[in-house]
Structure formats: C-alpha cells, structure tokens
Amino acid sequence: MYGDPFIRRRLKKWHIHPHQLEYQECYSAASDAYLYSIHRCALCRYSHVEFYIRKMIAVAVIWALAISHPDKDLCQTNNLTQVRLDALERRDLW
C-alpha cells in the first residue's frame, strides 16, 4: 500500500521509465529495501519510520543504477563510445 506507489513516483521523478532496462533492476532493489526497512523497524519497535523507509528506497535505487551501468562508467573513464547491438537497426548489421 505504501511502498509500491512511492517507488513508482521516485522512479518517475528520476526519469526511470518501465521501458528502460534499468527500471526492473531499480524497482527490485527498491522493493527489497522497503521490505528490509519494514522488518528492521518492526524488530526494533521503532515508530515514525516513514522518512527512514523513503531514504532506504532512494539509496537502493542509486545503488541499482550504479550496478546496472558498469559499462557506461568504463566508457566515460576511457573516452569510448558505448554501442549496444540490440539497439542497432537490422539494416545496420549487414
């Protein structure tokens, strides 16, 4: 009830859309962070945990973005151009 709408809004705010490859990775990481936060707060019997949960979701999305783009960082570091074969049109392959 709380986690899914917040995760979707956060991803939309950061311009991560469902048609992108990163979306599923970020959504999965954010869902795991949400579940972890709920369990941790329940175990420690914390109250007023909304901001903690939001922070954990944001951190998880940032981690997922960093993990899902190792080739992007490598290309930027070495001044290379990234080419994805699945993005090329069929006529470019011949």
Side-chain angles (χ1 to χ4, degrees):
M1 183 172 139
Y2 172 76
D4 184 61
F6 180 75
I7 292 169
R8 290 183 189 276
R9 281 193 313 268
R10 176 63 61 181
L11 293 176
K12 186 176 180 180
K13 179 181 177 184
W14 286 348
H15 305 289
I16 304 169
H17 303 287
H19 66 276
Q20 295 174 313
L21 296 173
E22 303 87 15
Y23 183 84
Q24 188 60 42
E25 192 72 32
C26 292
Y27 187 87
S28 178
S31 296
D32 289 345
Y34 174 72
L35 291 174
Y36 167 79
S37 300
I38 292 291
H39 289 105
R40 172 137 175 92
C41 293
L43 178 69
C44 296
R45 299 175 193 222
Y46 295 146
S47 58
H48 307 291
V49 296
E50 182 180 341
F51 294 110
Y52 173 75
I53 293 172
R54 286 183 177 191
K55 186 65 165 182
M56 288 300 293
I57 289 172
V59 167
V61 169
I62 291 169
W63 285 345
L65 285 174
I67 290 170
S68 67
H69 287 301
D71 50 346
K72 182 178 177 182
D73 294 333
L74 179 67
C75 289
Q76 286 179 346
T77 303
N78 296 310
N79 199 21
L80 300 172
T81 302
Q82 183 179 10
V83 177
R84 293 186 180 266
L85 293 178
D86 58 351
L88 296 175
E89 291 183 15
R90 184 143 182 91
R91 67 174 181 258
D92 292 339
L93 296 175
W94 304 103

